[in-house]
Amino acid sequence: MVTLLLDSTRLEVVLSGAERVLAFRKGNVEIERSAISKVQLTDDAWTWLRGVPSPGTHVRGVIAMGTWRSAGGDDFAIVRRRRPSVVIDLDGHPEFERIILTTRHGLALVQALRVEGADEPADVVEIAAETGTTPVQPAAPVRKPRTRKAPTAAPVV
């Protein structure tokens, strides 16, 4: 899971060692706060991927990590399975047009971006806690319990 650090001037996507390897990236992704044009929450990040991973890792339906190149511009993705995600549209970023991240802190990120940031970088969840806003994630879909058919007796011949 990526860590999101936000201060008054920038958002930093801190990647773990495994994420760096799978994304073929040496450092973290840094985004100037002024370059963020729109932030959207989504339940299915896979629909937002465009182009092909180059360089990156893609296992359909499991993970998508790295840079995705397309005619519309380059995107950076860290997507795991079908989990809640955030899509950050950028304007004027030198490297990417869009950032797609699987994170359970998407709502906290949206709320923290609305608040004036501090001078020191802080975790997005901590900022939401300080402002008194409690991030609420949508409830997980309710799944019906699996029922099995009762075995039937074989006809006697």
Side-chain angles (χ1 to χ4, degrees):
M1 169 95 39
V2 296
T3 302
L4 302 172
L5 297 178
L6 181 68
D7 65 12
S8 61
T9 59
R10 68 189 172 109
L11 170 68
E12 184 174 0
V13 180
V14 180
L15 304 174
S16 69
E19 290 167 340
R20 288 179 190 216
V21 169
L22 292 172
F24 294 92
R25 187 160 181 92
K26 291 182 182 178
N28 298 330
V29 177
E30 296 181 6
I31 305 161
E32 291 297 319
R33 203 165 170 168
S34 60
I36 298 173
S37 61
K38 185 169 40 171
V39 180
Q40 302 174 56
L41 300 176
T42 181
D43 286 332
D44 188 9
W46 296 95
T47 60
W48 290 91
L49 292 176
R50 58 184 179 181
V52 295
S54 176
T57 302
H58 178 234
V59 177
R60 177 177 258 167
V62 180
I63 62 167
M65 294 188 187
T67 302
W68 289 72
R69 301 201 187 279
S70 71
D74 293 349
D75 299 342
F76 182 76
I78 299 287
V79 178
R80 291 183 180 89
R81 304 220 182 254
R82 300 228 182 263
R83 296 186 179 154
S85 305
V86 64
V87 178
I88 305 169
D89 289 326
L90 305 174
D91 187 27
H93 190 270
E95 199 173 0
F96 302 115
E97 295 290 320
R98 187 186 298 167
I99 307 289
I100 306 162
L101 303 170
T102 300
T103 178
R104 65 184 123 170
H105 304 299
L107 186 58
L109 174 63
V110 172
Q111 292 171 345
L113 285 171
R114 290 183 186 161
V115 177
E116 283 300 316
D119 293 334
E120 295 288 321
D123 193 345
V124 169
V125 177
E126 293 172 8
I127 293 172
E130 289 173 6
T131 60
T133 56
T134 306
V136 178
Q137 291 296 325
V142 178
R143 295 185 180 175
K144 296 189 301 184
R146 295 179 76 179
T147 58
R148 296 184 180 186
K149 292 183 179 181
T152 58
V156 178
V157 187

